[in-house]
Amino acid sequence: MNRTTDILKIKSVEQIPTLEQIGAIPRERKLKLVFERGVQNQRERIGQNLKNQLLDFQIGIHTIEPEINIAKLITDKEIEDNQDFFEQCAKDYRQLGEELIYKLVDKLELKLNKEFPLETFNQLIREDRGKGKIENWKYYVHGFHCGFDNVETGQYIEVPLVFGQEFGDLDPYFFSKYIKSTIKYKPLPIEIYEDYADGLKINEKMISLGKFEKISSNVGNHYGTVVSDRQKVEIKSYLDLEKMYNEQNKQNEKPKFNFWKFIGLKK
């Protein structure tokens, strides 16, 4: 469902809607404040004030155009009322991600590093095999993920590669895109308009409800969100990986292993 945008031209500060008026905007509508020349210099101050006051809204202060875009985010009550739906989506995401990763591993005859899958998939990029197709899915390796896009249904999922064999990390943006692209969920019981911002609120509320939980990754200071009701797997930290690789290298008389250099974050 697309949102309708209401445009309001602002010639003076007095024309800016009150917090109560903005708060009454339904989620299916957006408000765009277009500042005319006489008040353009106050746009950033006004936008920042709205951000501080309207915590349940996304306030976009345009960096070039003289405008502020205002959109109401999904509410805590809407998430709580639909918690069973979001929990099932998270379980489905995890199952599909795992299935696709292992299908790709089998097709390409990869030797998967189960402790650190990113090592295996980085090798695909170096071999110019980071993009391709498996069954009805196009795949492409990038960053800490392998993306899969179904050419028939349009379903889209990004599978994380830095949580060991845990393939259910729910990046807010990717989780929203997955839900919105999955045919069996339509019509959605609740609309998601702002993929990242709504997705972030969903994750945070589901964590507070005990349905989701935070996990650490193979990479320092990088964390994920997964469904709580799952078969848990061990995820080694980068310090654990460094220790493991260094013990192996010592036995084989190889140089000391540097994890950050290994994943391309340090030269």
Side-chain angles (χ1 to χ4, degrees), residues 80-95:
E80 189 167 356
D81 289 346
N82 292 280
Q83 59 182 285
D84 291 343
F85 169 71
F86 290 123
E87 182 181 33
Q88 188 59 54
C89 290
K91 290 180 177 181
D92 294 346
Y93 189 108
R94 187 174 190 261
Q95 180 178 345

mmCIF file of all heavy atoms in Angstrom, residues 80-95:
data_model
loop_
_atom_site.group_PDB
_atom_site.id
_atom_site.type_symbol
_atom_site.label_atom_id
_atom_site.label_comp_id
_atom_site.label_asym_id
_atom_site.label_seq_id
_atom_site.Cartn_x
_atom_site.Cartn_y
_atom_site.Cartn_z
ATOM 1 N N GLU A 80 2.521 -5.207 19.278
ATOM 2 C CA GLU A 80 2.092 -6.152 20.317
ATOM 3 C C GLU A 80 0.875 -6.943 19.857
ATOM 4 O O GLU A 80 0.794 -8.161 20.082
ATOM 5 C CB GLU A 80 1.783 -5.396 21.606
ATOM 6 C CG GLU A 80 1.540 -6.302 22.791
ATOM 7 C CD GLU A 80 1.555 -5.559 24.115
ATOM 8 O OE1 GLU A 80 1.820 -4.344 24.130
ATOM 9 O OE2 GLU A 80 1.293 -6.215 25.149
ATOM 10 N N ASP A 81 -0.059 -6.285 19.198
ATOM 11 C CA ASP A 81 -1.262 -6.972 18.709
ATOM 12 C C ASP A 81 -0.929 -8.012 17.631
ATOM 13 O O ASP A 81 -1.703 -8.956 17.417
ATOM 14 C CB ASP A 81 -2.258 -5.962 18.138
ATOM 15 C CG ASP A 81 -2.920 -5.116 19.215
ATOM 16 O OD1 ASP A 81 -2.808 -5.491 20.403
ATOM 17 O OD2 ASP A 81 -3.523 -4.090 18.870
ATOM 18 N N ASN A 82 0.199 -7.812 16.952
ATOM 19 C CA ASN A 82 0.590 -8.707 15.854
ATOM 20 C C ASN A 82 1.875 -9.474 16.162
ATOM 21 O O ASN A 82 2.575 -9.918 15.253
ATOM 22 C CB ASN A 82 0.761 -7.901 14.568
ATOM 23 C CG ASN A 82 -0.545 -7.339 14.052
ATOM 24 O OD1 ASN A 82 -1.322 -8.040 13.420
ATOM 25 N ND2 ASN A 82 -0.805 -6.065 14.339
ATOM 26 N N GLN A 83 2.177 -9.654 17.424
ATOM 27 C CA GLN A 83 3.439 -10.285 17.820
ATOM 28 C C GLN A 83 3.554 -11.722 17.313
ATOM 29 O O GLN A 83 4.652 -12.166 16.947
ATOM 30 C CB GLN A 83 3.623 -10.234 19.335
ATOM 31 C CG GLN A 83 2.541 -10.903 20.135
ATOM 32 C CD GLN A 83 2.758 -10.762 21.637
ATOM 33 O OE1 GLN A 83 3.607 -11.428 22.230
ATOM 34 N NE2 GLN A 83 1.983 -9.885 22.258
ATOM 35 N N ASP A 84 2.449 -12.450 17.284
ATOM 36 C CA ASP A 84 2.508 -13.839 16.795
ATOM 37 C C ASP A 84 2.875 -13.858 15.312
ATOM 38 O O ASP A 84 3.614 -14.747 14.856
ATOM 39 C CB ASP A 84 1.175 -14.540 17.007
ATOM 40 C CG ASP A 84 0.874 -14.788 18.481
ATOM 41 O OD1 ASP A 84 1.814 -14.722 19.300
ATOM 42 O OD2 ASP A 84 -0.309 -15.030 18.816
ATOM 43 N N PHE A 85 2.350 -12.893 14.555
ATOM 44 C CA PHE A 85 2.672 -12.799 13.131
ATOM 45 C C PHE A 85 4.157 -12.517 12.935
ATOM 46 O O PHE A 85 4.830 -13.208 12.151
ATOM 47 C CB PHE A 85 1.840 -11.686 12.485
ATOM 48 C CG PHE A 85 2.280 -11.333 11.089
ATOM 49 C CD1 PHE A 85 2.059 -12.200 10.025
ATOM 50 C CD2 PHE A 85 2.947 -10.132 10.831
ATOM 51 C CE1 PHE A 85 2.480 -11.883 8.731
ATOM 52 C CE2 PHE A 85 3.357 -9.802 9.549
ATOM 53 C CZ PHE A 85 3.127 -10.671 8.495
ATOM 54 N N PHE A 86 4.685 -11.536 13.644
ATOM 55 C CA PHE A 86 6.094 -11.191 13.468
ATOM 56 C C PHE A 86 7.016 -12.323 13.948
ATOM 57 O O PHE A 86 8.074 -12.558 13.368
ATOM 58 C CB PHE A 86 6.419 -9.889 14.212
ATOM 59 C CG PHE A 86 5.806 -8.672 13.577
ATOM 60 C CD1 PHE A 86 4.965 -7.844 14.294
ATOM 61 C CD2 PHE A 86 6.059 -8.359 12.254
ATOM 62 C CE1 PHE A 86 4.395 -6.720 13.703
ATOM 63 C CE2 PHE A 86 5.496 -7.243 11.649
ATOM 64 C CZ PHE A 86 4.651 -6.428 12.376
ATOM 65 N N GLU A 87 6.600 -13.023 14.990
ATOM 66 C CA GLU A 87 7.392 -14.160 15.460
ATOM 67 C C GLU A 87 7.445 -15.251 14.393
ATOM 68 O O GLU A 87 8.514 -15.821 14.131
ATOM 69 C CB GLU A 87 6.799 -14.718 16.748
ATOM 70 C CG GLU A 87 7.609 -15.883 17.322
ATOM 71 C CD GLU A 87 7.007 -16.441 18.588
ATOM 72 O OE1 GLU A 87 5.749 -16.437 18.714
ATOM 73 O OE2 GLU A 87 7.763 -16.893 19.465
ATOM 74 N N GLN A 88 6.314 -15.539 13.748
ATOM 75 C CA GLN A 88 6.294 -16.556 12.701
ATOM 76 C C GLN A 88 7.128 -16.116 11.505
ATOM 77 O O GLN A 88 7.836 -16.935 10.894
ATOM 78 C CB GLN A 88 4.865 -16.849 12.269
ATOM 79 C CG GLN A 88 4.747 -18.044 11.323
ATOM 80 C CD GLN A 88 5.287 -19.318 11.933
ATOM 81 O OE1 GLN A 88 4.882 -19.718 13.034
ATOM 82 N NE2 GLN A 88 6.220 -19.974 11.230
ATOM 83 N N CYS A 89 7.050 -14.829 11.150
ATOM 84 C CA CYS A 89 7.880 -14.311 10.057
ATOM 85 C C CYS A 89 9.358 -14.543 10.351
ATOM 86 O O CYS A 89 10.125 -14.922 9.457
ATOM 87 C CB CYS A 89 7.623 -12.818 9.854
ATOM 88 S SG CYS A 89 6.012 -12.401 9.170
ATOM 89 N N ALA A 90 9.761 -14.300 11.598
ATOM 90 C CA ALA A 90 11.159 -14.471 11.981
ATOM 91 C C ALA A 90 11.582 -15.933 11.889
ATOM 92 O O ALA A 90 12.702 -16.252 11.462
ATOM 93 C CB ALA A 90 11.383 -13.935 13.396
ATOM 94 N N LYS A 91 10.696 -16.828 12.279
ATOM 95 C CA LYS A 91 10.998 -18.263 12.186
ATOM 96 C C LYS A 91 11.121 -18.686 10.722
ATOM 97 O O LYS A 91 12.026 -19.444 10.354
ATOM 98 C CB LYS A 91 9.917 -19.079 12.890
ATOM 99 C CG LYS A 91 9.921 -18.928 14.403
ATOM 100 C CD LYS A 91 8.819 -19.771 15.044
ATOM 101 C CE LYS A 91 8.865 -19.684 16.554
ATOM 102 N NZ LYS A 91 7.819 -20.499 17.207
ATOM 103 N N ASP A 92 10.203 -18.187 9.900
ATOM 104 C CA ASP A 92 10.240 -18.513 8.469
ATOM 105 C C ASP A 92 11.513 -17.966 7.828
ATOM 106 O O ASP A 92 12.123 -18.617 6.967
ATOM 107 C CB ASP A 92 9.022 -17.922 7.758
ATOM 108 C CG ASP A 92 7.710 -18.560 8.199
ATOM 109 O OD1 ASP A 92 7.751 -19.627 8.838
ATOM 110 O OD2 ASP A 92 6.653 -17.969 7.905
ATOM 111 N N TYR A 93 11.892 -16.755 8.207
ATOM 112 C CA TYR A 93 13.099 -16.106 7.674
ATOM 113 C C TYR A 93 14.322 -16.979 7.973
ATOM 114 O O TYR A 93 15.140 -17.250 7.098
ATOM 115 C CB TYR A 93 13.254 -14.739 8.336
ATOM 116 C CG TYR A 93 14.322 -13.831 7.753
ATOM 117 C CD1 TYR A 93 13.962 -12.714 7.013
ATOM 118 C CD2 TYR A 93 15.681 -14.059 7.973
ATOM 119 C CE1 TYR A 93 14.918 -11.854 6.485
ATOM 120 C CE2 TYR A 93 16.642 -13.215 7.460
ATOM 121 C CZ TYR A 93 16.258 -12.108 6.716
ATOM 122 O OH TYR A 93 17.219 -11.273 6.199
ATOM 123 N N ARG A 94 14.402 -17.420 9.214
ATOM 124 C CA ARG A 94 15.541 -18.241 9.643
ATOM 125 C C ARG A 94 15.594 -19.556 8.873
ATOM 126 O O ARG A 94 16.658 -19.989 8.409
ATOM 127 C CB ARG A 94 15.420 -18.504 11.145
ATOM 128 C CG ARG A 94 16.607 -19.208 11.787
ATOM 129 C CD ARG A 94 16.400 -19.251 13.301
ATOM 130 N NE ARG A 94 17.597 -19.697 13.979
ATOM 131 C CZ ARG A 94 17.788 -20.948 14.407
ATOM 132 N NH1 ARG A 94 16.861 -21.870 14.194
ATOM 133 N NH2 ARG A 94 18.909 -21.273 15.034
ATOM 134 N N GLN A 95 14.434 -20.209 8.726
ATOM 135 C CA GLN A 95 14.389 -21.489 8.023
ATOM 136 C C GLN A 95 14.753 -21.333 6.552
ATOM 137 O O GLN A 95 15.550 -22.109 6.011
ATOM 138 C CB GLN A 95 12.991 -22.098 8.151
ATOM 139 C CG GLN A 95 12.852 -23.436 7.446
ATOM 140 C CD GLN A 95 11.469 -24.044 7.620
ATOM 141 O OE1 GLN A 95 10.694 -23.626 8.476
ATOM 142 N NE2 GLN A 95 11.142 -25.027 6.793
#
